[in-house]
Amino acid sequence: MKTINPGNPLTMHIISIDSSTAIAGIALTTDEAIVAEALFSANKTLSARLVPEIQRMLSAAGLTVADIDLFACAVGPGSFTGVRAGVATIQGLALAAAKPCVGFSTLALLAMNFPLATLPVCPLLDARKNEVYAALYDCSAPLPVPLMAECVMGPEAFLDQLLAATAGPVIFTGDGALRYREIIAARLGEQARFPSPYHHAGHAANGALLALQAHRSGATLTPDRLLPVYLRPSEAEYAKINQQNTRQSR
Protein backbone atom coordinates (compact mmCIF):
# COMPACT_ATOMS: atom_id res chain seq x y z
CA MET A 1 0.00 0.00 0.00
CA LYS A 2 1.32 3.43 -0.93
CA THR A 3 1.81 5.75 2.01
CA ILE A 4 3.07 9.31 2.24
CA ASN A 5 5.49 10.43 4.91
CA PRO A 6 3.73 13.01 7.16
CA GLY A 7 6.69 15.32 6.61
CA ASN A 8 6.55 14.96 2.82
CA PRO A 9 5.55 18.22 1.08
CA LEU A 10 3.65 16.36 -1.66
CA THR A 11 0.07 17.46 -2.27
CA MET A 12 -2.60 15.42 -0.51
CA HIS A 13 -5.87 14.79 -2.34
CA ILE A 14 -8.59 13.62 0.07
CA ILE A 15 -12.12 12.30 -0.41
CA SER A 16 -14.28 12.66 2.70
CA ILE A 17 -17.83 11.36 3.29
CA ASP A 18 -20.34 11.99 6.05
CA SER A 19 -23.48 9.90 5.61
CA SER A 20 -24.24 9.32 9.28
CA THR A 21 -27.13 11.79 9.64
CA ALA A 22 -30.15 12.95 7.64
CA ILE A 23 -27.91 15.36 5.67
CA ALA A 24 -25.14 13.59 3.80
CA GLY A 25 -21.99 15.30 2.59
CA ILE A 26 -19.07 14.60 0.27
CA ALA A 27 -15.94 16.71 -0.06
CA LEU A 28 -12.91 16.67 -2.31
CA THR A 29 -10.00 18.58 -0.83
CA THR A 30 -6.38 19.24 -1.69
CA ASP A 31 -4.36 19.64 1.47
CA GLU A 32 -6.45 22.15 3.47
CA ALA A 33 -8.23 23.67 0.45
CA ILE A 34 -11.76 22.69 -0.61
CA VAL A 35 -11.96 21.65 -4.27
CA ALA A 36 -15.64 20.64 -4.17
CA GLU A 37 -18.28 19.88 -1.56
CA ALA A 38 -21.89 18.71 -1.75
CA LEU A 39 -24.66 18.39 0.85
CA PHE A 40 -27.86 16.47 0.14
CA SER A 41 -30.66 14.57 1.83
CA ALA A 42 -29.62 11.06 2.88
CA ASN A 43 -32.73 9.31 1.60
CA LYS A 44 -33.26 5.70 0.45
CA THR A 45 -31.05 6.28 -2.63
CA LEU A 46 -28.00 7.24 -0.52
CA SER A 47 -25.85 4.19 -1.31
CA ALA A 48 -26.51 4.51 -5.03
CA ARG A 49 -25.71 8.22 -5.00
CA LEU A 50 -22.39 8.34 -3.15
CA VAL A 51 -20.07 6.91 -5.82
CA PRO A 52 -21.61 8.82 -8.79
CA GLU A 53 -21.35 12.06 -6.79
CA ILE A 54 -17.71 11.36 -6.01
CA GLN A 55 -17.03 10.55 -9.68
CA ARG A 56 -18.70 13.82 -10.72
CA MET A 57 -16.47 15.81 -8.35
CA LEU A 58 -13.34 14.02 -9.51
CA SER A 59 -14.19 14.55 -13.17
CA ALA A 60 -14.82 18.27 -12.63
CA ALA A 61 -11.45 18.56 -10.90
CA GLY A 62 -9.61 16.58 -13.58
CA LEU A 63 -8.76 13.79 -11.15
CA THR A 64 -9.41 10.06 -10.89
CA VAL A 65 -9.83 7.74 -7.92
CA ALA A 66 -6.19 6.71 -8.42
CA ASP A 67 -5.13 10.32 -7.75
CA ILE A 68 -6.67 10.32 -4.27
CA ASP A 69 -4.14 9.88 -1.48
CA LEU A 70 -6.47 9.44 1.48
CA PHE A 71 -10.09 8.28 1.88
CA ALA A 72 -12.07 9.30 4.97
CA CYS A 73 -15.57 9.00 6.38
CA ALA A 74 -17.66 9.51 9.49
CA VAL A 75 -17.81 6.18 11.32
CA GLY A 76 -20.58 7.20 13.72
CA PRO A 77 -22.37 7.43 15.94
CA GLY A 78 -25.45 8.08 13.83
CA SER A 79 -27.78 6.31 11.44
CA PHE A 80 -26.81 2.64 11.26
CA THR A 81 -27.71 2.48 7.55
CA GLY A 82 -25.96 5.74 6.73
CA VAL A 83 -22.78 4.87 8.62
CA ARG A 84 -22.60 1.47 6.90
CA ALA A 85 -23.05 3.09 3.48
CA GLY A 86 -20.27 5.58 4.07
CA VAL A 87 -17.85 3.05 5.50
CA ALA A 88 -18.50 0.52 2.71
CA THR A 89 -18.05 3.19 0.03
CA ILE A 90 -14.75 4.43 1.44
CA GLN A 91 -13.50 0.87 2.00
CA GLY A 92 -14.25 -0.02 -1.62
CA LEU A 93 -12.60 3.09 -3.08
CA ALA A 94 -9.53 2.82 -0.85
CA LEU A 95 -9.15 -0.86 -1.65
CA ALA A 96 -9.40 -0.20 -5.41
CA ALA A 97 -6.85 2.62 -5.20
CA ALA A 98 -4.60 0.82 -2.68
CA LYS A 99 -4.62 3.88 -0.43
CA PRO A 100 -5.15 4.38 3.32
CA CYS A 101 -8.35 5.27 5.18
CA VAL A 102 -9.28 7.41 8.16
CA GLY A 103 -12.46 7.27 10.22
CA PHE A 104 -13.64 10.30 12.16
CA SER A 105 -16.38 10.84 14.73
CA THR A 106 -19.70 12.30 13.61
CA LEU A 107 -19.85 14.24 16.88
CA ALA A 108 -16.35 15.65 16.43
CA LEU A 109 -17.37 16.63 12.90
CA LEU A 110 -20.28 18.68 14.28
CA ALA A 111 -17.96 20.33 16.80
CA MET A 112 -15.77 21.39 13.86
CA ASN A 113 -18.49 23.93 12.97
CA PHE A 114 -17.20 26.09 15.84
CA PRO A 115 -13.43 26.49 15.45
CA LEU A 116 -11.76 28.79 18.01
CA ALA A 117 -14.99 28.96 20.06
CA THR A 118 -14.42 30.22 23.59
CA LEU A 119 -17.33 28.12 24.90
CA PRO A 120 -17.45 24.30 25.09
CA VAL A 121 -19.41 22.68 22.27
CA CYS A 122 -21.92 19.88 22.87
CA PRO A 123 -22.95 17.95 19.74
CA LEU A 124 -26.19 16.01 20.17
CA LEU A 125 -27.64 13.56 17.64
CA ASP A 126 -31.12 12.12 17.88
CA ALA A 127 -30.52 8.42 18.61
CA ARG A 128 -34.25 7.57 18.61
CA LYS A 129 -35.72 5.61 21.56
CA ASN A 130 -35.76 8.93 23.50
CA GLU A 131 -31.96 8.97 23.61
CA VAL A 132 -29.15 11.09 22.21
CA TYR A 133 -25.63 10.45 21.02
CA ALA A 134 -23.61 13.08 22.83
CA ALA A 135 -20.15 14.40 23.68
CA LEU A 136 -18.50 17.64 24.80
CA TYR A 137 -15.54 19.34 23.14
CA ASP A 138 -13.12 22.17 23.73
CA CYS A 139 -13.06 23.95 20.36
CA SER A 140 -10.74 26.82 21.31
CA ALA A 141 -8.09 25.34 18.97
CA PRO A 142 -8.60 24.67 15.24
CA LEU A 143 -9.42 21.00 15.97
CA PRO A 144 -11.79 19.86 18.76
CA VAL A 145 -10.46 18.25 21.95
CA PRO A 146 -12.82 15.87 23.84
CA LEU A 147 -13.94 16.96 27.30
CA MET A 148 -16.55 14.20 27.75
CA ALA A 149 -16.44 10.83 26.03
CA GLU A 150 -19.02 9.91 23.42
CA CYS A 151 -22.08 8.25 24.92
CA VAL A 152 -25.70 7.34 24.27
CA MET A 153 -28.39 7.96 26.90
CA GLY A 154 -31.56 9.90 27.62
CA PRO A 155 -31.19 13.68 27.25
CA GLU A 156 -32.03 14.37 30.91
CA ALA A 157 -29.42 11.89 32.14
CA PHE A 158 -26.81 13.36 29.83
CA LEU A 159 -27.58 16.89 30.98
CA ASP A 160 -27.03 15.73 34.57
CA GLN A 161 -23.55 14.56 33.61
CA LEU A 162 -22.89 17.70 31.60
CA LEU A 163 -23.80 19.98 34.50
CA ALA A 164 -21.53 17.98 36.78
CA ALA A 165 -18.63 18.29 34.31
CA THR A 166 -18.79 21.96 33.36
CA ALA A 167 -20.10 25.30 34.51
CA GLY A 168 -21.03 28.24 32.33
CA PRO A 169 -22.50 28.57 28.85
CA VAL A 170 -22.41 25.66 26.39
CA ILE A 171 -23.04 25.65 22.65
CA PHE A 172 -25.48 22.89 21.59
CA THR A 173 -25.52 21.65 18.02
CA GLY A 174 -26.99 18.79 15.97
CA ASP A 175 -30.45 17.40 15.31
CA GLY A 176 -30.62 16.14 18.90
CA ALA A 177 -30.14 19.70 20.14
CA LEU A 178 -33.02 20.79 17.91
CA ARG A 179 -35.33 17.98 19.04
CA TYR A 180 -34.63 18.42 22.75
CA ARG A 181 -34.12 22.18 22.76
CA GLU A 182 -36.93 22.79 25.27
CA ILE A 183 -35.51 20.26 27.73
CA ILE A 184 -32.02 21.72 27.36
CA ALA A 185 -33.24 25.29 27.80
CA ALA A 186 -35.31 24.32 30.83
CA ARG A 187 -32.26 22.79 32.53
CA LEU A 188 -29.58 25.30 31.55
CA GLY A 189 -31.58 28.49 30.97
CA GLU A 190 -29.46 31.26 29.43
CA GLN A 191 -26.37 29.06 29.72
CA ALA A 192 -27.62 27.04 26.74
CA ARG A 193 -26.54 28.60 23.44
CA PHE A 194 -28.09 27.48 20.14
CA PRO A 195 -26.52 28.48 16.79
CA SER A 196 -28.26 29.23 13.51
CA PRO A 197 -29.90 26.31 11.63
CA TYR A 198 -26.98 25.95 9.23
CA HIS A 199 -24.64 25.01 12.08
CA HIS A 200 -26.57 21.85 12.99
CA ALA A 201 -25.25 19.73 10.08
CA GLY A 202 -21.74 18.37 9.67
CA HIS A 203 -19.56 19.32 6.71
CA ALA A 204 -17.48 16.66 4.99
CA ALA A 205 -14.72 19.18 4.25
CA ASN A 206 -14.18 19.49 8.00
CA GLY A 207 -13.88 15.72 8.08
CA ALA A 208 -11.05 16.03 5.57
CA LEU A 209 -9.23 18.29 8.03
CA LEU A 210 -9.65 15.66 10.75
CA ALA A 211 -8.38 13.03 8.31
CA LEU A 212 -5.39 15.15 7.33
CA GLN A 213 -4.45 15.55 10.99
CA ALA A 214 -4.77 11.78 11.51
CA HIS A 215 -2.54 11.17 8.51
CA ARG A 216 0.09 13.57 9.79
CA SER A 217 0.10 11.77 13.13
CA GLY A 218 0.40 8.35 11.48
CA ALA A 219 -3.11 7.22 12.44
CA THR A 220 -4.31 5.95 9.05
CA LEU A 221 -5.91 2.53 8.53
CA THR A 222 -6.05 -0.16 5.89
CA PRO A 223 -9.59 -0.51 4.43
CA ASP A 224 -10.35 -3.70 6.36
CA ARG A 225 -9.69 -1.91 9.68
CA LEU A 226 -12.13 0.93 9.03
CA LEU A 227 -15.08 0.00 11.25
CA PRO A 228 -18.36 1.69 12.28
CA VAL A 229 -18.82 3.06 15.82
CA TYR A 230 -22.45 2.53 16.84
CA LEU A 231 -22.33 2.98 20.67
CA ARG A 232 -25.37 0.71 21.02
CA PRO A 233 -26.76 -2.43 19.33
CA SER A 234 -28.72 -2.18 16.10
CA GLU A 235 -32.40 -3.14 15.85
CA ALA A 236 -31.39 -6.54 14.50
CA GLU A 237 -29.04 -7.06 17.43
CA TYR A 238 -31.74 -5.97 19.87
CA ALA A 239 -34.11 -8.53 18.29
CA LYS A 240 -31.47 -11.25 18.60
CA ILE A 241 -30.86 -10.38 22.27
CA ASN A 242 -34.61 -10.44 22.96
CA GLN A 243 -34.94 -13.83 21.28
CA GLN A 244 -32.07 -15.23 23.37
CA ASN A 245 -33.60 -13.83 26.56
CA THR A 246 -36.97 -15.36 25.64
CA ARG A 247 -35.41 -18.80 25.08
CA GLN A 248 -33.48 -18.59 28.36
CA SER A 249 -36.60 -17.66 30.30
CA ARG A 250 -38.52 -20.73 29.11
Side-chain angles (χ1 to χ4, degrees):
M1 176 175 292
K2 177 182 175 182
T3 59
I4 296 178
N5 187 312
N8 195 320
L10 292 177
T11 295
M12 285 286 295
H13 297 305
I14 303 172
I15 285 289
S16 177
I17 292 176
D18 172 29
S19 57
S20 57
T21 68
I23 302 297
I26 301 172
L28 169 62
T29 63
T30 298
D31 296 327
E32 297 179 353
I34 300 175
V35 177
E37 185 173 26
L39 293 175
F40 50 91
S41 175
N43 54 28
K44 294 181 180 180
T45 64
L46 173 64
S47 295
R49 186 170 180 180
L50 289 176
V51 171
E53 190 69 25
I54 290 171
Q55 291 174 332
R56 182 188 66 79
M57 286 186 178
L58 289 172
S59 178
L63 299 172
T64 68
V65 171
D67 295 317
I68 301 303
D69 302 294
L70 185 62
F71 294 85
C73 70
V75 293
S79 160
F80 287 83
T81 301
V83 169
R84 284 195 297 268
V87 169
T89 299
I90 287 299
Q91 284 177 323
L93 293 172
L95 188 62
K99 301 291 176 62
C101 299
V102 168
F104 53 83
S105 162
T106 307
L107 296 171
L109 184 67
L110 277 170
M112 287 284 286
N113 286 342
F114 306 91
L116 309 182
T118 58
L119 302 179
V121 176
C122 179
L124 296 175
L125 292 174
D126 183 5
R128 309 282 179 90
K129 301 181 183 296
N130 297 314
E131 292 183 329
V132 291
Y133 297 119
L136 186 70
Y137 294 91
D138 175 358
C139 294
S140 59
L143 297 180
V145 177
L147 297 175
M148 291 178 64
E150 296 181 355
C151 61
V152 56
M153 63 180 67
E156 295 91 347
F158 173 74
L159 291 174
D160 287 340
Q161 293 192 11
L162 177 67
L163 290 170
T166 186
V170 176
I171 298 171
F172 290 89
T173 182
D175 58 17
L178 293 174
R179 176 172 180 179
Y180 295 106
R181 178 167 181 159
E182 291 185 3
I183 292 175
I184 297 167
R187 291 293 302 277
L188 275 75
E190 295 183 356
Q191 302 288 64
R193 307 293 172 84
F194 298 92
S196 68
Y198 300 113
H199 288 78
H200 291 284
H203 292 269
N206 284 333
L209 292 177
L210 292 171
L212 185 59
Q213 177 62 26
H215 176 270
R216 288 170 174 169
S217 64
T220 57
L221 303 169
T222 54
D224 60 298
R225 295 181 59 204
L226 183 69
L227 301 174
V229 175
Y230 294 133
L231 295 187
R232 75 177 184 196
S234 67
E235 292 294 338
E237 290 170 323
Y238 271 125
K240 183 177 180 180
I241 292 170
N242 289 335
Q243 288 177 353
Q244 292 174 341
N245 291 339
T246 300
R247 293 194 191 103
Q248 292 173 358
S249 64
R250 290 176 179 173

